[in-house]
Amino acid sequence: ASSLLRPLATMRNAQKLLAPVLELGCRGYVAPARWAARAAEEVATLDNSHRAPAGVIEVPSRLLMGPGPANAHPRILAAQTLPLLGHMHPPFLKIMDELSEGLRYTFQTKSKYTLMVSGTGHAGMEAAIANLVEPGDKVVVGNAGIWGERVAILSRRYQADVVEIKVPAGQTFSYETLKQTLLEHKPAVLFLCQGESSTGTHQSLAGLGDLCRQTGTLLLVDTVCSLGGVPLFADKWGVDCIYSGSQKCLSGPPGASPFFMSERAMEKLQLRKTPPATYNLDMNLIGDYWGWFGKRSYHHTAPVSTFYAMREALALVAEEGLEAMWARHQELHHRLWDGLRGMGLKPFVEKDEDRLITVNTIKVPEGVDWAALVKNAMDTYSLEIAGGLGPTAGKIWRVGIMGFNAKPQNVDLVLDAFKDGLKRQRKL
């Protein structure tokens, strides 16, 4: 009798196992009461009050002519839809190698120490400070706006002895000022921001590499809003460390920070008395992942789709050529200012030699509501024009001419928006 009952028992067991699957079509999946919870864990009733989001994402179309991000090239956006690869798969490592090589061209360096930091420009900033600065190191920070302020804050958090030098908003540091400061303090690091997007200034780096070598100083440069838009020669100019951003003149999505170190910077890192006070941004470990030291070791999971996008971004830079990119940005900067001056508007940065061409800063005239003009540009033209930031808040407008957006028709739309905004306020 037991042999006759065995198939029936097996069938009943099968029915119990299949019951949730059979119910899926009519009532939805009914999971076991405990799912994968551990024995002593209480499986409570779900709180569905925040069950969201719902439906498919909707994103409005905007022309981003502020200080960044700029609109991404369609080819760069398309790259992010490609299938994911594992972060240690050979095809992905090949893409990382292509990124390193593309950065050598963009930075104009032969250094093998180039990579994309997994994070925005702030991650690149912190990586530079964390790796180059040891507790007690003297760091001279050229503070010409908000980015100098933040480097000073970061450096203090990494226990540096910070010497801040400042200029009024809209001005840059002279060679003589920097020379005097370096000779007096002989710091481990000198920080300067090539393109200060909060004020619209372009800091000259002429002669500073040689000067830093005389004082045993590493030259650290922020190029977040200038890389690809204005000339930069890392090796020729004697720069030791550079970080940048993906979402400005390179026309990529935010989330990757182009990064460069010279041999001198690497020597400083290798000879540290203490390890960098960060694991996430330790260039000994990240560099090993990127193959800097002849092998590859897992450090973190790279943002795979973002790196696809940046591979395409650097390919577009190589295809156009840096000189053509620099010329395009300069030409459209002049086109913008020809139109703005025709409306009686004036640059915030008074000296031509101090003026940044990628983030243009415009004085708000007396009696003009700067925010109303910005709002009208967005509401009427789906166009982003930004106000000031940090020391320039409420005093200026900022217009970005960067990367894929650096086109005559986009500059002309900006001019139309300014003209319309001023007319609405009866200032034109």
Side-chain angles (χ1 to χ4, degrees), residues 138-142 151 163 165 178-179 181-182 187-192 208-209 211-212 215 217-221 241:
K138 187 164 286 189
V139 177
V140 169
V141 175
V151 167
V163 177
I165 56 173
L178 295 170
K179 179 179 179 181
T181 304
L182 289 182
V189 176
L190 167 65
F191 166 81
L192 292 168
L208 296 179
L211 184 58
C212 284
T215 58
T217 302
L218 296 177
L219 178 56
L220 167 62
V221 180
C241 187

Side-chain angles (χ1 to χ4, degrees), residues 166-248:
K166 297 183 180 182
V167 288
Q171 296 182 23
T172 63
F173 296 97
S174 69
Y175 175 84
E176 286 304 318
T177 295
L178 295 170
K179 179 179 179 181
Q180 180 180 344
T181 304
L182 289 182
L183 291 175
E184 178 183 351
H185 294 284
K186 295 183 172 56
V189 176
L190 167 65
F191 166 81
L192 292 168
C193 186
Q194 184 185 36
E196 175 52 75
S197 62
S198 68
T199 61
T201 54
H202 181 164
Q203 174 65 49
S204 172
L205 303 175
L208 296 179
D210 290 339
L211 184 58
C212 284
R213 277 155 178 75
Q214 292 174 31
T215 58
T217 302
L218 296 177
L219 178 56
L220 167 62
V221 180
D222 176 321
T223 67
V224 169
C225 71
S226 57
L227 185 66
V230 304
L232 176 70
F233 294 87
D235 289 356
K236 183 91 174 161
W237 294 355
V239 183
D240 292 299
C241 187
I242 301 170
Y243 62 87
S244 192
S246 55
Q247 74 277 19
K248 310 245 181 177

Side-chain angles (χ1 to χ4, degrees), residues 264-285:
R264 292 177 74 233
M266 178 53 64
E267 182 180 7
K268 175 77 160 69
L269 174 59
Q270 302 273 297
L271 295 177
R272 289 178 64 107
K273 300 180 185 69
T274 58
T278 170
Y279 188 91
N280 191 44
L281 296 172
D282 185 341
M283 282 297 151
N284 292 301
L285 305 176

